[in-house]
């Protein structure tokens, strides 16, 4: 059957024409006045359309649109919101004000998922939500950035639980012609496509655009007729399929993403790889320089390395993307030939231990090796990452030297703030909160909000959460064929006045959703206290292939059926942005129980705190650096355990202790006005302290100043004058490699007295070094000094470069320096020579180190 497609567009009356522009810009998703416009049109259709304004406008009867066009009040609202959008786009923002001379910076931000709003379901969880908030804050701050990702026909799955509590997955089709995306066209007004070679097959992807404020997000889609059937399926599901499907997705994202930018005539100066999924873009960029500029692989590698930013999110080695050699050979043979590499040399780019044929090719390793600027996503995660990946830099003395910094994640506050709290902020924090979100001192004005107003507003949000949870529970029961008495009972679960604790996140075993249920007798005593009632709302999806996580969900569902728990526990199916908003805006306490240190950052607690919800969490991820007793509660105290069983047991008891002794009593401690003054005090301090720090505006400022601008400037240096510096650095590295086996420390002399040194003394050190074919300018000789631990090892040593003092007749070079003795105790020092060049972008970027 030959089907000829055509598109039917809604007819908007002239008075309502701005609605289309508003609906096609994700700016609406963090502007309540815009959302309220669509609710005013028809609340039921808004919900039925999954809060997707484009689909909604196509479903509203023409008679209703004509009616609204005659409504002067509604038309005035449309005009006001449209004017706000135009003013927002034209407004001078932080980047233009602060870095007027850096306007030529352009960041390309690659991610395999983007969680912008529930009406655009191309995300699964925290990584995508963070990427979406990254784009939103970039446009708020005026940072010149473009996003690159994939457009999934089915996206991530919709979750349903059967009568036994077992998770089932559904994959509804996304209708892109009724979503806020636009198909990019070429000069012939045809869909813009790019081609990616996968073995002997050419795979084509068309490019769609999502407008996020002033920023464009480009998403690639292989579901087009010119592709073979199996290749059309590449962009079907997020995180779906086998390893073969996964590598094809990442080839489209990385290589296809670069080619899409070129086809769009966008030339970034910085390339941000958000997790390892898109690291194949590095190969394409190097191949371009080899093909088009005639550079060698070594030269291309030097230049691409300097402008790459890589963010790692996974603190577990097994969780980082890896591929076997056979898959790489199947799809990347032509790419490896373009790079001019042998297969062993290519595979070594993705191995911690080059030459180890038993080691798989790691996408994180590839990105770390070929990115000058790398970071984890919290202070603790930075430490974990440096320890986890130190094997890539084997010659460094201490994990603290591993070139992975950290920038702690945050949230796009206005995307997660309830409109009720937003109204309070507008009244008491003023317009700067929305218009100049980079002015963080505005959070101090939270103290101006009267206690009673904040508490009454919070109570309304809790009531809405309870009503929402009841309705969702009834819908869930109805789908399972529940009896009428069960549906009636759903109206009586939860109380709009009880202490409400939320737990919602991806269900993975390390997140320990079952920790709360470790001691059922103790939990029953908690929820059975009618004088101080406590209730829990839980949500989250397990990965379709994660059977242990599905078992946890099933067990929780079975426990909830106990008559003691039935009225105090609800599991909300199909956790998504909409469910998350109700929870983080309406709970009293946000519970987080990961197994430390496996939570890279986590941001749900940040979303909660902005709404006045208090955190009760393991000291992991962002909470490890945020916690002080005045802001919330900690479960445990950062201690190490001999095994996970002991850890779970100890921390479960700590959780119950905290609930019984701290959380519940404080919530129900009321004054004569029935206000929990001490609780409200904690709410305010949490809101203003955490709100000003753990947001993506602060995060994007850090990315800009610590990573983006340095990478942009490095790229300019390396590429200037026909890639002069890049070529010279590549030649210098070859020189260092050819001569390094001749480099040695031949003698170390000190001014050490026979007795002890005294505080304030200086220890003079003289090093003789043989440099072979290298000059003194090609090396840095350094002394590392500091306290010794019980095993005689330096702990967090200080590093000082020694001065060149000439050359001996024996051909040895002399380097001298001194160490100041500022503290008493057992100290030590060591010396090393490392390859050095004044044009190195990163100080410790050489593989060549000799110790003595």
């Amino acid at each position: 059957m030959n089907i000829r497609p055509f598109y039917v567009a809604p007819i908007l009356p002239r008075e309502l024409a701005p609605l289309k522009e508003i609906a096609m810009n994700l700016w609406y998703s963090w502007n309540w006045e815009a959302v309220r416009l669509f609710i005013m049109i028809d609340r039921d259709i808004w919900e039925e359309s999954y809060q997707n304004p484009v689909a909604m406008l196509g479903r509203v009867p023409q008679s209703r649109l004509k009616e609204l066009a005659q409504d002067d009040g509604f038309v005035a609202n449309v005009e006001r919101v449209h004017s706000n959008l135009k003013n927002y786009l034209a407004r001078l923002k932080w980047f233009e004000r602060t870095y007027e001379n850096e306007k030529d910076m352009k960041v390309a931000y690659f991610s395999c998922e983007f969680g912008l709003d529930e009406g655009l379901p191309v995300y699964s969880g925290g990584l995508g939500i963070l990427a979406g908030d990254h784009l939103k804050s970039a446009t708020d701050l005026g940072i010149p950035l473009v996003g690159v990702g994939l457009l999934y026909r089915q996206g991530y799955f919709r979750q349903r639980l059967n009568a036994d509590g077992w998770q089932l997955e559904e994959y509804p089709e996304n209708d892109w012609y009724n979503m806020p995306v636009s198909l990019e066209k070429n000069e012939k007004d045809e869909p813009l496509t790019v081609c990616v070679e996968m073995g002997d097959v050419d795979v084509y992807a068309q490019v769609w655009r999502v407008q996020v404020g002033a920023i464009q997000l480009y998403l690639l889609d292989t579901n087009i007729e010119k592709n073979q059937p199996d290749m059309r399926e590449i962009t079907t599901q997020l995180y779906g399929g086998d390893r073969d499907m996964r590598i094809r997705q990442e080839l489209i994202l990385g290589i296809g993403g670069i080619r899409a930018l070129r086809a769009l005539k966008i030339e970034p100066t910085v390339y941000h790889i958000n997790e390892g999924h898109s690291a194949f873009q590095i190969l394409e960029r190097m191949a371009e320089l080899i093909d088009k500029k005639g550079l060698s692989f070594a030269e291309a590698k030097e230049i691409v390395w300097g402008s790459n930013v890589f963010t790692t999110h996974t603190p577990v080695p097994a969780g980082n993307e890896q591929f076997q050699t056979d898959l790489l050979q199947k799809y990347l043979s032509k790419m490896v030939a373009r790079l001019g590499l042998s297969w062993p040399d290519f595979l070594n780019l993705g191995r911690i231990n080059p030459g180890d044929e038993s080691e798989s090719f790691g996408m994180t390793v590839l990105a770390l090796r070929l990115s000058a600027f790398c970071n984890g996503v919290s202070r603790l995660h930075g430490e974990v990452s440096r320890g986890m990946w130190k094997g890539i830099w084997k010659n460094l003395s201490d994990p603290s030297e591993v070139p992975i910094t950290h920038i702690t994640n945050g949230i796009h506050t206005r995307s997660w703030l309830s409109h009720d709290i937003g109204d309070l902020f507008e009244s008491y924090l003023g317009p700067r909160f929305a218009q100049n979100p980079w002015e963080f001192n505005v959070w101090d004005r939270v103290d101006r909000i009267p206690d009673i107003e904040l508490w009454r507003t919070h109570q309304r949000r809790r009531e809405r959460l309870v009503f929402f949870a009841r309705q969702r529970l009834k819908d869930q029961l109805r789908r399972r064929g529940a009896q009428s008495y069960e549906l009636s009972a759903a109206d009586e679960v939860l109380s709009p006045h009880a202490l409400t604790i939320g737990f919602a996140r991806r269900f993975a075993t390390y997140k320990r959703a079952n920790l709360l249920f470790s001691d059922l007798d103790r939990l029953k005593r908690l929820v059975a206290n009618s004088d101080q009632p406590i209730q829990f709302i839980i949500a989250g999806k397990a990965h379709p292939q994660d059977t242990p996580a599905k078992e946890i969900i099933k067990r929780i569902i079975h426990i909830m059926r106990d008559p003691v728990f039935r009225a105090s526990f609800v599991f909300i199916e199909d956790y998504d942005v909409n469910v998350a908003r109700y929870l983080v805006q309406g709970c009293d306490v946000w519970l987080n129980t990961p197994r430390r240190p496996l939570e890279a950052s986590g941001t749900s607690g940040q979303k909660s705190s902005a709404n006045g919800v208090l955190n009760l969490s393991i000291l992991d991820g962002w909470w490890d650096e945020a916690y002080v007793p005045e802001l919330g509660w900690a479960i445990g105290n950062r201690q190490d355990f001999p095994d996970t069983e002991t850890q779970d047991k100890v921390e479960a008891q700590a959780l119950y202790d905290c609930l019984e002794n701290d959380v519940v009593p404080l919530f129900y401690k009321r004054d004569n006005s029935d206000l929990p003054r001490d609780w409200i005090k904690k709410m305010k301090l949490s809101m203003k302290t955490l709100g000003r720090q753990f947001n993506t505006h602060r995060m994007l400022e850090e990315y800009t100043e610590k990573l983006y601008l340095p990478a942009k400037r490095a790229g300019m240096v390396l590429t200037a004058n026909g890639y002069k510096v890049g070529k010279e650095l590549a030649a210098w590295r070859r020189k260092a490699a050819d001569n390094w086996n001749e480099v040695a420390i031949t003698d170390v002399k000190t001014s050490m007295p026979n007795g002890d040194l005294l505080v304030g003394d200086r220890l003079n050190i003289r090093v003789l070094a043989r440099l072979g074919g290298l000059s003194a300018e090609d090396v840095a000789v350094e002394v590392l000094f500091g306290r010794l631990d019980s095993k005689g090892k330096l702990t967090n040593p200080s590093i000082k470069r020694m001065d060149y003092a000439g050359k001996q007749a024996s051909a040895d070079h002399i380097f001298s320096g001194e160490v100041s003795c500022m503290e008493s105790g057992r100290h030590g020092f060591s010396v090393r020579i490392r390859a050095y060049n004044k044009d190195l972008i990163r100080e410790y970027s050489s593989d060549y180190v000799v110790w003595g």
Side-chain angles (χ1 to χ4, degrees):
M1 181 170 57
N2 187 17
I3 298 176
R4 295 174 175 82
F6 59 92
Y7 175 60
V8 180
I11 299 175
L12 290 177
R14 177 180 53 81
E15 295 85 351
L16 305 184
L19 282 174
K20 181 178 180 181
E21 183 179 349
I22 297 168
M24 290 297 291
N25 193 318
L26 269 294
W27 171 87
Y28 75 79
S29 67
W30 68 91
N31 285 272
W32 169 241
E33 283 195 341
V35 172
R36 187 161 48 192
L37 271 183
F38 298 108
I39 294 175
M40 290 168 64
I41 294 173
D42 191 303
R43 178 182 290 272
D44 291 338
I45 295 179
W46 173 249
E47 294 297 338
E48 291 167 6
S49 303
Y50 204 58
Q51 303 185 21
N52 169 5
V54 178
M56 179 192 185
L57 292 177
R59 295 183 185 183
V60 176
Q62 289 296 137
S63 59
R64 175 59 176 159
L65 294 175
K66 290 180 180 178
E67 177 187 345
L68 290 168
Q70 303 305 311
D71 184 333
D72 292 344
F74 184 79
V75 171
N77 278 332
V78 171
E79 291 173 349
R80 185 179 69 255
V81 171
H82 187 233
S83 176
N84 290 343
L85 171 58
K86 291 191 292 185
N87 290 338
Y88 170 84
L89 296 175
R91 190 182 305 145
L92 194 66
K93 302 182 179 72
W94 172 80
F95 186 83
E96 296 99 328
R97 296 182 182 191
T98 310
Y99 295 104
E100 185 179 0
N101 296 326
E102 302 282 2
K103 292 179 180 179
D104 55 343
M105 184 181 83
K106 187 75 169 182
V107 180
Y109 180 80
F110 284 68
S111 183
C112 68
E113 54 173 304
F114 287 89
L116 289 158
D117 198 48
E118 52 265 51
L120 187 62
V122 290
Y123 65 93
S124 72
L127 181 70
I129 297 299
L130 177 74
D133 283 6
H134 196 107
L135 298 192
K136 293 174 184 178
S137 283
T139 184
D140 283 348
L141 295 174
I143 296 171
L145 182 147
V146 59
V148 180
L150 299 179
L151 192 72
Y152 302 99
R153 180 163 55 89
Q154 295 178 347
Y156 204 50
F157 69 91
R158 303 289 299 275
Q159 180 195 52
R160 298 288 180 258
L161 302 184
N162 67 16
D164 194 37
W166 189 255
Q167 175 181 289
L168 305 174
E169 295 86 31
E170 298 176 357
Y171 293 90
E173 297 275 332
N174 289 321
D175 178 8
W176 301 124
Y177 294 93
N178 277 306
M179 288 188 175
V181 297
S182 303
L183 193 60
E184 285 293 300
K185 302 292 185 68
N186 60 20
E187 60 277 1
K188 297 179 181 179
D189 200 37
E190 300 169 338
L192 181 69
T193 61
V194 295
C195 177
V196 177
E197 304 82 12
M198 296 191 187
D200 296 327
V201 178
D202 288 344
V203 181
Y204 296 88
Q206 58 188 4
V207 183
W208 298 77
R209 174 171 47 83
V210 179
Q211 197 67 34
V212 186
I215 278 177
Q216 293 78 38
L217 165 62
Y218 295 102
L219 302 174
L220 278 67
D221 166 27
T222 63
N223 184 31
I224 55 180
E225 291 184 0
K226 64 195 307 184
N227 282 331
Q228 297 177 180
D230 60 327
M231 297 303 178
R232 293 185 68 166
E233 297 298 315
I234 291 174
T235 54
T236 296
Q237 294 177 4
L238 171 60
Y239 302 139
D242 56 13
R243 303 305 301 160
D244 190 283
M245 176 61 76
R246 195 64 161 267
I247 194 172
R248 283 185 282 152
Q249 287 185 334
E250 297 185 11
L251 288 165
I252 291 293
L253 175 60
I255 297 174
I258 292 294
R259 294 179 183 179
L261 292 175
R262 302 296 183 256
L264 292 161
K265 297 179 172 53
I266 297 172
E267 293 294 335
T269 57
V270 178
Y271 295 79
H272 188 168
I273 304 164
N274 187 44
E275 196 58 290
H277 309 106
S278 60
F280 285 138
Q281 59 119 300
I282 300 171
L283 309 182
E284 175 65 12
R285 291 184 59 210
M286 292 190 296
E288 282 182 335
L289 291 172
I290 293 168
D291 294 342
K292 298 177 181 178
K293 302 298 180 181
L295 302 186
S296 67
F297 171 78
E299 292 166 343
K301 176 183 172 184
E302 198 74 46
I303 290 158
V304 168
W305 174 81
S307 55
N308 275 346
V309 172
F310 172 59
T311 300
T312 176
H313 294 262
T314 310
V316 185
N320 288 266
E321 196 78 274
Q322 295 180 329
F323 293 111
Q324 297 297 321
T325 302
D326 58 339
L327 277 180
L328 297 167
Q329 290 176 330
K330 179 179 180 180
Y331 291 118
L332 281 167
S333 293
K334 290 183 179 178
M335 173 60 74
V336 174
R338 287 176 66 198
L339 295 173
L341 294 176
S342 66
W343 268 102
D345 286 343
F346 172 73
L347 294 173
N348 285 341
L349 295 175
R351 287 173 171 162
I352 296 175
N353 301 297
D356 182 356
E357 296 184 3
S358 66
E359 185 180 343
S360 299
F361 184 94
M363 297 295 282
T364 300
V365 177
L366 174 68
L368 288 169
R369 284 194 183 279
L370 296 179
S371 300
F373 303 93
C374 304
N375 71 286
V377 290
S378 69
R379 184 176 63 194
L380 178 60
H381 181 235
E383 295 173 9
V384 171
S385 297
R386 287 187 289 274
M388 190 164 73
W389 301 112
K390 63 184 178 182
I392 298 175
W393 297 273
K394 291 179 174 59
N395 290 315
L396 296 180
S397 67
D398 189 86
S400 63
E401 286 193 274
V402 171
I404 302 175
T405 186
H406 81 273
I407 294 177
T408 302
N409 286 344
I411 62 163
H412 183 261
T413 306
R414 291 184 65 207
S415 290
W416 300 102
L417 202 66
S418 75
H419 61 83
D420 304 274
I421 293 290
D423 290 344
L424 278 183
F425 281 11
E426 185 175 350
S427 297
Y428 292 100
L429 274 63
R432 282 197 301 140
F433 173 74
Q435 295 176 7
N436 296 352
W438 55 87
E439 296 182 9
F440 304 124
N441 61 348
V442 74
W443 284 94
D444 291 336
R445 298 184 179 182
V446 167
D447 286 330
R448 299 181 180 182
I449 303 173
D451 286 359
I452 190 168
E453 286 194 52
L454 179 60
W455 186 244
R456 298 295 180 240
T457 300
H458 179 67
Q459 285 184 310
R460 285 197 300 274
R461 293 310 311 182
R462 190 194 312 115
E463 290 167 2
R464 287 176 184 161
L465 169 61
V466 168
F467 298 149
F468 172 77
R470 288 174 177 173
Q471 185 59 51
R472 288 294 290 259
L473 178 59
K474 289 173 69 174
D475 293 342
Q476 292 165 195
L477 292 170
R478 195 175 290 115
R479 279 195 301 271
R480 298 177 203 155
Q483 300 297 315
S484 58
Y485 74 88
E486 294 178 281
L487 297 177
S488 298
D491 285 327
E492 298 178 4
V493 302
L494 307 179
S495 164
H497 311 294
L499 170 61
T500 303
I501 297 180
F503 180 97
R505 54 195 29 86
R506 177 171 60 89
F507 266 64
T509 53
Y510 80 87
K511 291 181 181 285
R512 297 191 298 180
N514 50 355
L515 193 71
L516 176 65
F517 302 92
S518 300
D519 186 338
L520 293 181
D521 290 336
R522 198 167 178 185
L523 185 60
K524 285 180 180 179
R525 289 196 296 272
L526 262 172
V527 301
N529 184 347
S530 58
D531 294 329
Q532 296 183 332
I534 183 172
Q535 58 196 17
F536 298 84
I537 303 177
I538 300 172
K541 298 177 179 179
H543 187 280
Q545 298 172 7
D546 191 349
T547 300
K550 290 184 176 182
E551 292 286 358
I552 292 174
I553 294 176
K554 178 181 174 180
R555 179 173 181 266
I556 290 173
I557 296 299
H558 282 238
I559 291 171
M560 288 180 178
R561 290 172 180 166
D562 186 306
V564 177
F565 295 134
R566 188 169 291 160
S568 303
F569 282 84
V570 169
F571 187 99
I572 298 178
E573 296 176 13
D574 201 30
Y575 182 47
D576 63 4
V577 167
N578 186 44
V579 174
R581 284 197 179 114
Y582 272 98
L583 284 165
V584 301
Q585 294 169 4
C587 288
D588 298 297
V589 174
W590 196 254
L591 178 63
N592 189 27
T593 54
R595 178 171 286 115
R596 175 185 163 96
L598 303 184
E599 182 90 295
S601 173
T603 57
S604 58
Q606 299 168 355
K607 301 176 180 81
S608 306
S609 63
N611 287 282
V613 179
L614 299 178
N615 278 274
L616 168 59
S617 176
I618 298 290
L619 291 169
D620 198 7
W622 78 282
W623 191 237
D624 180 72
E625 64 194 83
Y627 169 73
V628 293
E630 294 78 15
L631 302 179
W633 298 276
I635 304 169
N637 56 7
R638 301 185 178 95
Q639 69 186 101
D640 295 323
F641 294 90
D643 54 72
T644 57
E645 183 178 353
T646 302
Q647 181 179 12
D648 291 350
K649 187 174 182 179
V650 170
E651 292 180 342
Q653 296 308 309
L655 169 59
Y656 295 130
D657 289 343
C658 190
L659 287 171
E660 293 167 350
N661 302 324
D662 299 317
V663 178
V664 175
L666 186 68
F667 182 82
Y668 286 104
K669 180 186 176 185
R670 306 297 171 98
D671 66 4
N672 293 333
S673 303
D674 197 33
L675 289 178
R677 296 285 184 180
D678 291 342
W679 187 278
I680 296 170
K681 180 180 179 182
K682 213 175 184 77
M683 286 174 66
K684 286 185 174 181
L685 189 60
S686 172
M687 291 172 80
K688 72 176 186 179
T689 305
L690 302 179
R692 70 187 302 159
Q693 176 64 20
F694 295 98
N695 61 78
T696 41
H697 297 105
R698 181 273 311 159
M699 184 187 87
L700 261 293
E701 288 186 14
E702 284 195 49
Y703 270 106
T704 299
E705 294 171 346
K706 294 181 179 179
L707 303 180
Y708 290 165
L709 285 173
K712 176 252 184 182
R713 293 162 184 162
M716 291 181 65
V717 169
L718 291 167
T719 58
N721 301 317
Y723 308 97
K724 179 177 181 292
V725 172
K727 291 178 178 179
E728 290 175 349
L729 275 173
W732 170 80
R733 287 190 195 272
R734 285 195 298 271
K735 175 184 175 183
D738 292 342
N739 291 276
W740 200 251
N741 61 347
E742 300 178 30
V743 175
I745 294 174
T746 59
D747 194 18
V748 178
K749 298 181 183 297
T750 70
S751 61
M752 187 84 70
N754 292 329
D756 293 334
L757 290 165
L758 301 177
V759 172
D761 284 349
R762 297 177 185 273
L763 177 65
N764 294 305
I765 303 170
R766 184 169 179 265
V767 172
L768 299 182
R770 188 165 296 134
L771 302 182
L774 300 180
S775 70
E777 293 181 348
D778 293 322
V779 299
V781 179
E782 296 169 327
V783 56
L784 290 78
F785 59 97
R787 289 186 178 276
L788 299 180
D789 63 17
S790 60
K791 297 180 180 179
K793 294 183 178 180
L794 288 168
T795 57
N796 297 316
S798 299
I799 302 172
K800 186 174 183 180
R801 186 170 177 181
M802 304 181 76
D803 297 323
Y804 183 59
K807 190 174 182 181
Q808 286 190 335
S810 62
D812 285 348
H813 295 259
I814 307 168
F815 295 85
S816 63
E818 64 178 22
V819 172
S820 297
C821 303
M822 304 306 296
E823 296 179 342
S824 62
R826 186 168 176 250
H827 295 257
F829 77 90
S830 184
V831 295
R832 70 182 178 192
I833 305 174
R834 60 179 177 84
Y836 170 80
N837 187 292
K838 61 179 178 60
D839 290 321
L840 283 175
I841 294 162
R842 194 178 64 208
E843 188 75 3
Y844 302 109
S845 62
S846 172
D847 296 327
Y848 306 109
V849 180
V850 166
W851 291 87

